[in-house]
Amino acid sequence: MAHSTAEAGEAAPGDPVEGRGHRVMEPLEGTMPEASDSDHISPRLQRIAELAEQMPDKALNPLAHNMDEAWLFEAYRRTRKDGAPGVDERTGADYHRDLWANLSSLLDRAKSGRYRAPPVRRTYIPKGDGGQRPLGIPTFEDKLLQRAVVMILEAVYERDFHEGSHGFRPGRSAHQALEAVQTGLMRMGGGWVVKVDIRRFFDTVPHDQLRTVLRRRVGDGVLMRLIGKWLKAGVMEAGQWQRLGEGTPQGGVISPLLANVFLHEVLDEWFETQAKPRLRGPAQLVRYADDAVLLFKHRDDAERVLKVLPKRFEKYGLELHPEKTRLIGFQRPPRNVKRPRPKPETFDLLGFTLYWGRSRRGNWVVKAKTAKDRLSRSLRNVHYWCRQNRHRPVEEQWEVLCRKMKGHYAYYGVTGNYDALEAFFRGVRRRWRSWLARRSQNGQMPWWRYALLLQRLPLPRPRIMKPYMRDRLARLST
């Protein structure tokens, strides 16, 4: 999966997208103020959305006429400014220095067809296990233009997408997807889960199939030409350009939206309009990007859908992982049994393990805890960071560790997961002491000395940041 779940110091599904939650540079003199710019853009977005709703089965054209300098300025405002530069080595601050002229030039090149999509700079970041993870970095101008196109496409597709689609959509998050799965299973009283795993999805989306799907709703030549250029841009690694014949643009904000559009056609629409009406009992699809689960009340319904899924994905040039795509029995244990035998199955989703557990009232509810591999990976990342930065001043280390721990709590701090948060807290505390000890000549730091340090620089304690499921689970369990 290209967009991974959050660990210490990593981004999580549902984290703010670029431009949300980041410091934004003030506009230069002579540019429109941010508030009035948003006011200018919103009515146009609403008109696109209304047109898409009125013409649900037609390709919309024209669309690119909505992009003007005000539109690009709003895209600039929503784009993160402090990211690493792409192949042109141009930063957000560099682009800001002559912002109005840069936006005007970009608009002219985009609409005239003279815009050339630069390759994505491929770099690698260390993983907690000592390996490396590839990372794609587009140029700042490319991010800005992609954001401008995403604003249009979101208005077109938002009303097409089904309720079960949660990934990288405005106002939706991974926690909402998790809540939808818990709620769905509770309402069914348990059932059967088909866990869908697409092999290397973001790297294998066929370009011709993706264009065919897009043309059903997007008839604008300017937008389709820009998307085609991004698909063909390739990557630059160690000074060598490499063409990518398939897959969505690496690191770009357009990639998650293209993935949603494609999987809406491949899975969501098919399941809701063709598969679901033929089933014997209730069923539900919940998808976050390429992570999807199908919930069924009856086993025979689940088996029928699982049997045809590989052929459905193969039709669109995708492959399901034969071992990771599986059927899971997730029946609710009997009410009067404290420890059922055999123990009910569990499954992982978005970094959490879902399982049946007792509520405070003693009823069976669907709970979520940090998946073991994600907890281990989070602690490995902290271990690696402490090793690499052990010679930095202690106060600087403490500040960074606090940010990492708060980020971990923000994602994994859901109802019923306190024990896993406490395990993460204790693991970070041990690893920091271990690497601080190596700064001394004898390689030791007594616990009493470390305790004094923690009194002065306390590490943040675990917190349940998202207790929204507590009352709902209690209602559903009665």
Side-chain angles (χ1 to χ4, degrees):
M1 177 176 165
H3 301 272
S4 59
T5 322
E7 315 305 339
E10 297 180 5
D15 276 357
V17 295
E18 289 188 332
R20 300 176 190 169
H22 297 281
R23 181 178 60 86
V24 178
M25 297 180 181
E26 294 298 322
L28 299 176
E29 262 188 57
T31 65
M32 63 195 65
E34 294 180 11
S36 63
D37 180 75
S38 297
D39 293 341
H40 282 296
I41 300 304
S42 295
R44 278 186 271 175
L45 290 172
Q46 182 64 28
R47 285 196 296 270
I48 296 172
E50 291 173 354
L51 185 63
E53 189 172 22
Q54 295 166 9
M55 305 171 64
D57 301 319
K58 294 185 178 180
L60 305 185
N61 187 34
L63 290 170
H65 73 282
N66 291 283
M67 278 201 308
D68 55 14
E69 290 175 350
W71 192 279
L72 290 184
F73 183 85
E74 176 64 11
Y76 166 82
R77 193 179 70 84
R78 299 185 186 190
T79 302
R80 179 178 173 178
K81 313 299 187 300
D82 58 353
V87 294
D88 62 353
E89 297 297 333
R90 197 178 187 188
T91 65
D94 296 334
Y95 203 85
H96 182 77
R97 291 192 184 99
D98 200 3
L99 178 61
W100 201 247
N102 289 331
L103 295 181
S104 179
S105 171
L106 177 59
L107 180 66
D108 179 61
R109 285 178 284 132
K111 290 198 171 183
S112 66
R114 292 185 293 108
Y115 181 79
R116 298 184 62 184
V120 173
R121 180 166 69 90
R122 177 180 282 172
T123 185
Y124 294 88
I125 57 176
K127 295 168 61 176
D129 58 2
Q132 291 186 315
R133 178 180 293 122
L135 181 69
I137 305 176
T139 65
F140 179 81
E141 186 172 68
D142 213 35
K143 293 179 187 176
L144 192 160
L145 186 57
Q146 286 188 28
R147 174 64 67 191
V149 172
V150 164
M151 289 161 57
I152 296 176
L153 295 183
E154 279 183 345
V156 171
Y157 282 103
E158 263 304 302
R159 301 194 185 191
D160 289 354
F161 290 153
H162 290 286
E163 184 64 25
S165 172
H166 293 269
F168 306 101
R169 291 179 57 191
R172 291 179 177 248
S173 69
H175 294 106
Q176 290 174 326
L178 188 72
E179 180 184 5
V181 174
Q182 291 177 281
T183 302
L185 288 168
M186 292 284 292
R187 284 176 177 164
M188 290 182 190
W192 298 85
V193 178
V194 173
K195 183 77 167 62
V196 178
D197 190 281
I198 310 171
R199 195 191 293 269
R200 299 179 59 242
F201 170 73
F202 285 92
D203 297 327
T204 59
V205 173
H207 290 173
D208 56 343
Q209 294 267 29
L210 176 58
R211 290 191 186 95
T212 299
V213 171
L214 285 166
R215 290 192 188 101
R216 292 174 186 166
R217 294 297 275 144
V218 181
D220 190 284
V222 173
L223 297 187
M224 290 301 298
R225 184 169 59 236
L226 286 172
I227 292 172
K229 290 181 177 182
W230 286 319
L231 293 175
K232 296 177 180 177
V235 298
M236 185 74 72
E237 182 176 359
Q240 298 294 320
W241 178 75
Q242 178 184 350
R243 177 186 292 275
L244 300 178
E246 54 187 14
T248 55
Q250 292 191 10
V253 295
I254 193 79
S255 180
L257 180 59
L258 295 181
N260 268 343
V261 170
F262 198 56
L263 285 177
H264 170 78
E265 172 71 20
V266 176
L267 181 60
D268 304 0
E269 182 73 5
W270 169 81
F271 181 78
E272 295 293 340
T273 62
Q274 298 184 46
K276 203 170 174 181
R278 294 179 170 88
L279 301 178
R280 183 165 64 95
Q284 182 180 348
L285 180 149
V286 179
R287 182 175 62 81
Y288 188 95
D290 62 330
D291 275 337
V293 291
L294 309 178
L295 315 178
F296 302 89
K297 176 66 175 179
H298 301 298
R299 178 169 187 162
D300 57 338
D301 286 341
E303 290 175 339
R304 287 175 60 193
V305 172
L306 180 59
K307 184 177 180 180
V308 299
L309 272 179
K311 295 180 181 178
R312 177 67 184 176
F313 279 82
E314 184 180 353
K315 177 181 176 181
Y316 289 86
L318 299 175
E319 181 185 1
L320 293 181
H321 196 293
E323 297 176 359
K324 295 181 180 180
T325 300
R326 61 192 182 96
L327 178 63
I328 302 155
F330 202 76
Q331 294 82 15
R332 181 172 59 192
R335 293 180 180 272
N336 58 349
V337 175
K338 293 185 177 181
R339 294 182 180 179
R341 295 289 186 270
K343 195 174 182 180
E345 289 188 77
T346 65
F347 64 96
D348 290 354
L349 179 68
L350 300 172
F352 292 90
T353 296
L354 276 72
Y355 66 101
W356 285 104
R358 292 285 191 179
S359 69
R360 291 183 178 180
R361 297 180 180 180
N363 298 315
W364 289 107
V365 295
V366 180
K367 292 188 173 184
K369 61 182 178 182
T370 310
K372 288 182 180 180
D373 62 329
R374 298 306 174 91
L375 178 58
S376 298
R377 193 168 78 182
S378 296
L379 291 174
R380 283 198 302 268
N381 288 338
V382 170
H383 178 89
Y384 180 84
W385 186 89
C386 290
R387 183 179 70 184
Q388 294 295 105
N389 297 273
R390 62 186 181 275
H391 296 302
R392 291 174 61 178
V394 173
E395 287 77 7
E396 291 184 14
Q397 294 186 44
W398 172 76
E399 290 177 358
V400 174
L401 285 175
C402 286
R403 289 198 298 269
K404 290 179 180 293
M405 296 176 75
K406 290 177 181 178
H408 185 91
Y409 301 154
Y411 185 71
Y412 290 104
V414 301
T415 299
N417 195 34
Y418 189 85
D419 288 347
L421 299 184
E422 180 70 21
F424 177 74
F425 170 79
R426 292 195 303 268
V428 173
R429 188 173 56 183
R430 286 195 305 268
R431 283 158 179 79
W432 193 30
R433 172 181 173 270
S434 174
W435 286 106
L436 287 177
R438 303 195 184 197
R439 291 157 54 113
S440 64
Q441 292 182 349
N442 59 6
Q444 295 182 359
M445 172 176 274
W447 274 105
W448 65 266
R449 183 178 297 171
Y450 188 50
L452 292 176
L453 173 65
L454 292 180
Q455 287 181 7
R456 182 169 62 90
L457 301 174
L459 294 174
R461 295 287 309 183
R463 289 183 60 194
I464 298 299
M465 308 295 291
K466 303 193 183 302
Y468 54 82
M469 280 298 294
R470 183 181 297 127
D471 294 337
R472 179 167 296 186
L473 291 177
R475 290 196 303 271
L476 291 171
S477 66
T478 57

